[in-house]
Amino acid sequence: MLYSHGSVKFLVVLYSINVFITFCLSQLGMVRHWWVERHDDKKWSKKLVVNGIGLTLTTFILCSVVILKFNEGDGSLSLLPAH
């Protein structure tokens, strides 16, 4: 709250970025899971495709949000990992 000076707009952007990072990581984990389990599950390829599409979509949305917000002049988003 101190870093954002109570800006709800900024906090909502950070929240949405964190949500899509979590979605991307969970979809990536499921893609890896189905790849490892491909010898034990007969329908592994269908499940891998579904989670692969989910990974692609969530990654695209995450990149879009970060690029759009950075281009709007909210460059402070890029400084957060450095702290």
Side-chain angles (χ1 to χ4, degrees), residues 45-61:
S45 61
K46 185 177 182 179
K47 296 173 182 179
L48 183 125
V49 167
V50 169
N51 290 121
I53 291 169
L55 174 62
T56 303
L57 290 174
T58 55
T59 303
F60 176 75
I61 293 169

Side-chain angles (χ1 to χ4, degrees), residues 13 17 21 60-72 74 77-78:
V13 170
I17 289 171
I21 287 172
F60 176 75
I61 293 169
L62 174 63
C63 291
S64 297
V65 168
V66 170
I67 290 169
L68 288 173
K69 292 303 172 182
F70 189 80
N71 286 338
E72 283 181 7
D74 206 354
L77 291 177
S78 65

